[in-house]
Amino acid sequence: MKAIRNIFEKTKPYVQKGAKYHWLHSVHDGFFTLFFVQKDTSKSGTHIKDYLDLKRTMAVVVFALVPALLMGIYNTGYQHYKAIGELATTGFFDICLFGLIKVVPFIIVSYVVGLGIEFVFAQYRGHEIQEGFLVSGFLIPLIMPVNTPLWMVAVATAFAVVFAKEVFGGTGMNIWNPALVARAFLFFAYPSHMSGDSVWISLKDTDKVVDGFTGATPMALAAAGTPDYSVMDAFIGLIPGSIGETSALAILIGAIILIVTGIGSWKIMVSTVAGGLFMGFLLQTFAVNEFMAIPAWHHLVLGGFAFGAIFMATDPVSAAQTSKGKYIYGFLVGVLAILIRVVNPAYPEGMMLAILLMNTFAPLIDYYVVEGNIKKRLKRATANA
Amino acid sequence: MAKEGLFSKKNQKLLSTPLNGNNPVTVQVLGICSALAVTVQLKPAVVMTLSVMAVLAFANVIISLLRNTIPSRIRIIVQLVVVAALVILVDQILKAFVYDVSKQLSVFVGLIITNCIIMGRLEAFALGNKPWPAFLDGVGNAAGYGLVLIIVSFFRELLGSGSLWGYKVIPESWYVANGGFYENNGMMILPPMALITVGAIIWFQRWKNRDLIEK
């Protein structure tokens, strides 16, 4: 730690006001506070109650995402070797290595592009670098199909950072979750790379696949009326899907971290799951096709539902802020996700669109919750008078 | 009073301010619907611009000539009749000479009648000015509208279809289907991207021209 601190101390004179590299000062500050807690404390006015600033908060979320990432890396290799029929002869280490080679470039591209744009904006507008992108940059690779070309990831990240975040004023001001905007952008811009049967498993044209291989996700199969998956595989995460979304188990570990540290809102998580189950049961009751007929709780482990409920819907900026509002918001996310998923004929997944839609309505929900509270208290006050 | 020249400073201003400082689309935010609808490709956008220019310039002149005889209570109806007549003329001309583009523009030529820019200029300018300035104002505003349309459609056609004016500009060998890496951006063809492109133009314009930033 001492060595790192020395580097910052040494470079500090160069980025001070009037010095040659002053234009780099927010980059310097950004990295300094990433490694060390700020010494400066408030001297007047409002006081910050503890050290848990935005950077630490974000670091906890990134930490909670790590199990999903590791599982995603393993699953990338697993699906590849399974498709070419060499699963039994390939060691655990090789499987992980294959996944690593595929997944790490996504993370690098997402961070380089996203942070690059953040730095430019911070520099140009003269404010500190906002660390919101630490999480977005980690989320973006996790919600991409593994076959997405890297330049598309770069374009989507740039689009999301500029048009979902910076135009609204940066971290804390965005209406929508930037990572989901990145995915939605790709989803509508390059649909053939974001859905279908050939994008979820990393294969080269020269790879020979085993008989009966389709590459379809369990969701797509279920939507096509031929549900064929093992719930246990879906829970552990050994099914085709976006990189980080497949393993409900790893996501659950992340959820525990978020809830124990108090970073993620359990109210949103619980109510989202409740909403999903409610809609699932409702559809199951009136099941008119195979997809509707699958048990409601299967929806929780399939597709992006778990990932969305834990990491996307709980985004503190774009979710509802009031306590009651969180329940309403989460419940509607769950209901809409399953509704879009099952009833919509065009796409077999609805979590992304459901969260983006509810992000849009979150301020409205908050408004009515606050108004309701004001009315209630006013009534009480006038009744006693 | 000295007679004002045809292209005096004041008259030149009528032509130039709508291009930037008082652009009907990016500053007054009028005529947005058609800017979203006809900008998928460059060619229809240019034809649309010329159509709006013809309608707006002549409607401005006609209303300006009639300005002292129109009773103010029925002026909207009179304006609508004039505009509608001109739109029908333009529509017929398009059908006769550029049939394929007119088919692409479909109802949007007819909808020029409802273009807020036209009613706006008739109300705000033609009713109070002489025919020649009114003509210049019409041309200027239509050009400002067209400028935005052309910029938006340039990017939408280039990125959405890989072509310009109907000609392929991105080499076929770049496409994934032919072993390359490139793919057209399907979202550029959808209306939301037109809105975002207009937004980006507004952003850029206000960045360059700080006076336009709303307080």
Side-chain angles (χ1 to χ4, degrees):
Chain A
M1 270 338 234
K2 195 115 199 226
I4 301 174
R5 185 176 283 273
N6 275 339
I7 296 176
F8 283 113
E9 292 299 328
K10 275 215 183 98
T11 50
K12 205 168 179 192
Y14 293 101
V15 295
Q16 257 152 13
K17 235 191 168 94
K20 196 171 168 194
Y21 296 106
H22 181 63
W23 57 276
L24 277 175
H25 76 101
S26 59
V27 178
H28 185 275
D29 276 3
F31 278 107
F32 180 74
T33 48
L34 188 64
F35 284 108
F36 302 104
V37 175
Q38 280 281 36
K39 274 195 307 228
D40 311 329
T41 53
S42 331
K43 302 254 170 359
S44 65
T46 321
H47 284 270
I48 296 166
K49 75 177 180 198
D50 62 16
Y51 278 132
L52 193 76
D53 62 354
L54 195 55
K55 237 165 227 170
R56 309 306 140 195
T57 312
M58 296 293 176
V60 173
V61 182
V62 170
F63 187 61
L65 281 164
V66 167
L69 174 72
L70 294 179
M71 207 46 221
I73 289 174
Y74 177 75
N75 189 43
T76 302
Y78 178 90
Q79 294 299 334
H80 171 80
Y81 287 111
K82 190 180 174 194
I84 61 171
E86 289 175 15
L87 195 58
T89 56
T90 315
F92 175 79
F93 187 70
D94 280 339
I95 292 177
C96 290
L97 190 68
F98 182 88
L100 222 76
I101 291 169
K102 285 284 162 197
V103 175
V104 169
F106 277 78
I107 301 174
I108 295 173
V109 165
S110 149
Y111 270 118
V112 167
V113 172
L115 286 179
I117 294 172
E118 289 251 325
F119 283 175
V120 169
F121 271 94
Q123 219 58 60
Y124 186 76
R125 290 185 172 158
H127 59 57
E128 303 303 310
I129 290 172
Q130 293 156 332
E131 34 287 302
F133 194 75
L134 284 182
V135 169
S136 303
F138 210 89
L139 285 171
I140 289 171
L142 290 182
I143 52 174
M144 297 284 164
V146 70
N147 268 359
T148 314
L150 289 176
W151 69 269
M152 285 184 190
V153 179
V155 169
T157 308
F159 179 85
V161 172
V162 174
F163 286 102
K165 211 159 126 189
E166 292 300 340
V167 290
F168 293 110
T171 302
M173 309 291 227
N174 44 303
I175 301 176
W176 299 292
N177 185 324
L180 278 181
V181 171
R183 193 181 202 279
F185 175 78
L186 285 187
F187 187 77
F188 288 109
Y190 308 103
S192 63
H193 288 268
M194 295 302 285
S195 51
D197 292 347
S198 61
V199 301
W200 310 106
I201 299 173
S202 177
L203 289 172
K204 283 195 289 288
D205 292 340
T206 49
D207 287 333
K208 269 180 67 130
V209 297
V210 293
D211 290 342
F213 170 80
T214 61
T217 62
M219 293 274 297
L221 291 176
T226 52
D228 173 26
Y229 54 86
S230 124
V231 177
M232 201 59 208
D233 275 356
F235 178 70
I236 294 172
L238 300 176
I239 51 170
S242 299
I243 293 170
E245 69 168 22
T246 55
S247 173
L249 178 68
I251 293 162
L252 214 57
I253 297 171
I256 292 167
I257 295 174
L258 287 183
I259 291 173
V260 167
T261 54
I263 302 280
S265 161
W266 62 268
K267 287 170 188 159
I268 294 178
M269 297 182 196
V270 168
S271 56
T272 304
V273 171
L277 282 176
F278 168 75
M279 199 64 212
F281 278 125
L282 206 65
L283 289 170
Q284 202 188 346
T285 317
F286 299 102
V288 292
N289 63 32
E290 287 281 326
F291 198 9
M292 282 192 187
I294 66 171
W297 60 278
H298 284 196
H299 282 295
L300 303 185
V301 294
L302 290 180
F305 190 90
F307 194 85
I310 306 298
F311 295 112
M312 293 295 188
T314 55
D315 171 11
V317 177
S318 54
Q321 309 290 328
T322 52
S323 197
K324 210 185 280 173
K326 281 177 180 166
Y327 288 118
I328 301 170
Y329 163 88
F331 190 79
L332 287 175
V333 167
V335 166
L336 282 170
I338 302 301
L339 193 67
I340 299 172
R341 182 183 272 194
V342 176
V343 177
N344 183 324
Y347 355 96
E349 178 57 297
M351 199 59 189
M352 170 183 82
L353 298 171
I355 296 174
L356 285 175
L357 191 65
M358 288 319 295
N359 280 171
T360 314
F361 285 109
L364 190 72
I365 296 172
D366 281 340
Y367 174 80
Y368 280 110
V369 169
V370 172
E371 284 293 300
N373 197 31
I374 290 172
K375 260 197 203 123
K376 203 170 75 193
R377 297 186 65 157
L378 210 60
K379 212 169 160 188
R380 202 166 59 203
T382 47
N384 290 345
Chain B
M1 202 177 88
K3 202 174 176 322
E4 222 184 325
L6 276 188
F7 285 100
S8 64
K9 271 263 155 57
K10 205 169 125 206
N11 283 349
Q12 279 177 22
K13 267 233 161 86
L14 289 177
L15 278 175
S16 63
T17 50
L19 287 181
N20 185 6
N22 198 18
N23 190 292
V25 181
T26 61
V27 179
Q28 301 172 25
V29 198
L30 297 174
I32 290 286
C33 334
S34 57
L36 305 187
V38 300
T39 51
V40 176
Q41 285 167 332
L42 203 48
K43 204 169 171 185
V46 170
V47 173
M48 184 72 180
T49 304
L50 294 176
S51 310
V52 169
M53 195 177 279
V55 172
L56 184 49
F58 288 113
N60 254 359
V61 170
I62 294 168
I63 294 298
S64 171
L65 286 170
L66 297 174
R67 71 184 185 279
N68 295 327
T69 48
I70 304 173
S72 79
R73 296 179 70 176
I74 59 160
R75 67 184 194 283
I76 301 279
I77 279 292
V78 175
Q79 288 165 8
L80 272 178
V81 170
V82 171
V83 175
L86 286 165
V87 166
I88 290 168
L89 273 179
V90 166
D91 195 25
Q92 294 302 317
I93 291 169
L94 289 183
K95 275 190 181 137
F97 293 102
V98 279
Y99 185 65
D100 51 328
V101 179
S102 121
K103 251 170 72 179
Q104 244 178 327
L105 288 172
S106 65
V107 295
F108 291 102
V109 176
L111 285 177
I112 292 176
I113 300 170
T114 59
N115 192 319
C116 336
I117 297 173
I118 293 181
M119 291 304 278
R121 291 330 289 172
L122 294 180
E123 279 283 299
F125 198 89
L127 278 176
N129 285 282
K130 288 188 176 145
W132 175 244
F135 177 78
L136 292 179
D137 180 77
V139 173
N141 274 284
Y145 166 80
L147 185 69
V148 175
L149 242 65
I150 288 166
I151 296 173
V152 173
S153 62
F154 174 84
F155 286 111
R156 285 185 78 189
E157 189 174 359
L158 182 66
L159 300 174
S161 318
S163 57
L164 285 175
W165 203 265
Y167 297 106
K168 279 272 170 205
V169 289
I170 289 174
E172 285 292 337
S173 60
W174 283 17
Y175 285 96
V176 173
N178 302 325
F181 62 92
Y182 189 76
E183 193 94 333
N184 283 329
N185 188 328
M187 191 141 161
M188 272 293 178
I189 299 174
L190 302 174
M193 220 44 202
L195 199 66
I196 290 173
T197 318
V198 172
I201 294 173
I202 291 176
W203 189 13
F204 181 80
Q205 190 190 13
R206 267 150 232 231
W207 176 48
K208 287 281 160 205
N209 192 348
R210 296 263 155 183
D211 302 339
L212 294 177
I213 298 173
E214 290 89 352
K215 288 287 173 296

